[in-house]
Amino acid sequence: MKPYIREKKTFTAAEIPEATAFEAGYLVSVNSGWRSIRPVIDTGRCVGCEQCYLYCPDGVISVQNGKAVIDYDFCKGCGICAKIFRLGAIRTEAEHK
Amino acid sequence: MANSTAERLSRDEFFYGHKACAGCGGALAVRAALKELGQNAVSVLPAGCMSAVGFNFPQLCFSNNSIISTFAGTASMLTGIEAGLRARGYSDFTAVGFAGDGGTADIGIQALSGAIDRNDNIIYICYDNEAYMNTGIQKSGLTPFGARTTTTPAGANIHGNLRPKKNMFEIAAAHDIPYAATASIGYLPDFIRKVGKAAQIRGTKYIHVIAPCPTGWGIAPDETVEIAKEVVDCGLWYLAEYENGEFTLNHRPKDFSSVEAYLKRQGRFKHLDLSDIKTVIEARDRKWAFIEKNFSYS
Ligand SMILES: Cc1ncc(C[n+]2csc(CCOP(=O)(O)OP(=O)(O)O)c2C)c(N)n1
Ligand code: SF4
Ligand code: SF4
Ligand SMILES: [Mg+2]
């Protein structure tokens, strides 16, 4: 379970909650446009150690079938994952070439 | 290849899609703590970066129950949530607060002190990025000596902040709190272990975690974890616990790494001269003399 993208409704004034009470985990926008660099996982070198999963501030790495997978909708390209894993399974490349 | 820290955490994400700057240390602290505490954590976030980046209606980035409190009121809202849920018959939950350094050591200290005094059953986590970041990098009581902020500028005569960091860990401990700890996102497994331990203890728990801010510290986004490790390795921060009236040191660096190297890689300390650096090193050595005398080593 994690927050996920929902319908981007428009709200009328009457529908806007008066208190800070609304559905948890309701997302309407992605963060992919923030990236200037893109981390790329070399699945051949990934040993499934989960260090990148642990240290990603955005929680966008999951380990599936023993290999790291990045949710590029929400990765901001901070580069922490590439730095934490020193065996070079994650390299960074320019987002816009 | 098993990662024992990853194994103990929930695979769910409770802080996701937030608008924190790339590489934000505070976001990593909140994410990791919630993965340790799980779905039944009820979190309180006062004014500060983590509430500002987490709640942008209708972009709501917590998947557990979470609420914004007044800037000063993290601890009092935790008290209310814990009492309210208990009154309604709930017992399987953890009331946890995530407040910044300003929200903790300055404006929120009275509410925190009151909660510890009542021994309310809550976890209070201070994510310390060493300034009021959300409003544009003003000095707080936890800004270290020499740091340049917008309210402690660096000029020819005055080299940034003149005052040392308040010692919030020992201030919390001085209440004879059931559990207090220091941590750093550079030593994430240690932080996660402390959050897990706090959840098992009744009464008030205080955890102080160093969480670098690339925007305010003048470092690259990929350096936050590394620098959070370096601040421990050079001895300017330490990993410790307070329990049953005793202080315990969790990690003793063999030899300290260079304080100068730690400072000079950050924009906020670039202006420091040799005598400033000497002042920082002397303060570190005094602190460690105190630690060696008063803390046991586990
Ligand atoms: C009573 C009150 N005073 C001032 C503010 C403005 N304000 C909002 S966030 C913030 C800075 C918070 O700093 P800190 O607690 O260190 O958290 P950070 O933003 O660094 O994560 C300030 C001054 C406020 N919201 N409420
Ligand atoms: S670049 Fe940053 S946000 Fe993207 S996957 Fe790596 S650690 Fe996570
Ligand atoms: S300003 Fe600093 S603390 Fe605030 S979101 Fe950005 S990196 Fe995080
Ligand atoms: Mg702060």
Side-chain angles (χ1 to χ4, degrees), chain B residues 8 36-37 94 121 123 193-203 205:
Chain B
R8 67 181 282 162
E36 170 69 26
L37 296 174
T94 312
N121 190 24
I123 304 179
R193 176 184 70 78
K194 286 168 177 170
V195 174
K197 184 169 174 180
Q200 301 305 316
I201 295 172
R202 278 202 76 78
K205 287 79 63 176

Side-chain angles (χ1 to χ4, degrees), chain B residues 137-181:
Chain B
I137 324 174
Q138 292 83 23
K139 177 211 178 291
S140 80
L142 293 177
T143 302
F145 171 82
R148 169 166 53 80
T149 68
T150 50
T151 49
T152 55
N157 296 317
I158 296 181
H159 298 174
N161 180 29
L162 295 170
R163 298 286 303 151
K165 228 174 142 65
K166 272 190 209 177
N167 193 332
M168 267 313 295
F169 167 57
E170 284 172 39
I171 291 171
H175 292 71
D176 203 13
I177 191 171
Y179 182 71

Side-chain angles (χ1 to χ4, degrees), chain B residues 6 61 66 78 112 149 151 169 203 233 244 254:
Chain B
C61 303
S66 296
L78 284 168
L112 173 60
T149 68
T151 49
F169 167 57
D233 297 345
N244 305 319
K254 250 206 199 91

Side-chain angles (χ1 to χ4, degrees), chain B residues 42-257:
Chain B
V42 180
S43 32
V44 172
L45 297 108
C49 275
M50 291 308 109
S51 60
V53 305
F55 303 87
N56 290 282
F57 177 78
Q59 176 101 351
L60 297 169
C61 303
F62 289 92
S63 40
N64 61 312
N65 282 301
S66 296
I67 188 168
I68 307 180
S69 77
T70 58
F71 197 14
T74 315
S76 42
M77 191 173 265
L78 284 168
T79 295
I81 285 174
E82 192 279 326
L85 287 173
R86 188 159 34 83
R88 295 193 58 175
Y90 293 98
S91 56
D92 185 19
F93 68 90
T94 312
V96 60
F98 296 99
D101 46 288
T104 300
D106 298 339
I107 191 170
I109 197 169
Q110 182 188 5
L112 173 60
S113 179
I116 306 174
D117 185 39
R118 293 184 299 271
N119 201 23
D120 292 327
N121 190 24
I122 60 172
I123 304 179
Y124 187 111
I125 299 179
C126 170
Y127 67 94
D128 184 3
N129 52 28
E130 304 195 320
Y132 291 82
M133 293 309 178
N134 191 51
T135 39
I137 324 174
Q138 292 83 23
K139 177 211 178 291
S140 80
L142 293 177
T143 302
F145 171 82
R148 169 166 53 80
T149 68
T150 50
T151 49
T152 55
N157 296 317
I158 296 181
H159 298 174
N161 180 29
L162 295 170
R163 298 286 303 151
K165 228 174 142 65
K166 272 190 209 177
N167 193 332
M168 267 313 295
F169 167 57
E170 284 172 39
I171 291 171
H175 292 71
D176 203 13
I177 191 171
Y179 182 71
T182 59
S184 163
I185 61 145
Y187 286 87
L188 204 58
D190 171 78
F191 170 57
I192 289 168
R193 176 184 70 78
K194 286 168 177 170
V195 174
K197 184 169 174 180
Q200 301 305 316
I201 295 172
R202 278 202 76 78
T204 312
K205 287 79 63 176
Y206 176 81
I207 301 178
H208 192 117
V209 58
I210 290 289
C213 160
T215 312
W217 290 24
I219 53 172
D222 66 353
E223 291 180 317
T224 36
V225 169
E226 207 174 65
I227 208 131
K229 192 169 176 300
E230 197 174 341
V231 70
V232 174
D233 297 345
C234 76
L236 292 182
W237 189 245
Y238 54 95
L239 307 179
E241 290 171 293
Y242 174 86
E243 228 182 332
N244 305 319
E246 303 281 341
F247 287 103
T248 310
L249 183 68
N250 306 120
H251 173 76
R252 181 192 270 136
K254 250 206 199 91
D255 300 297
F256 291 133
S257 65

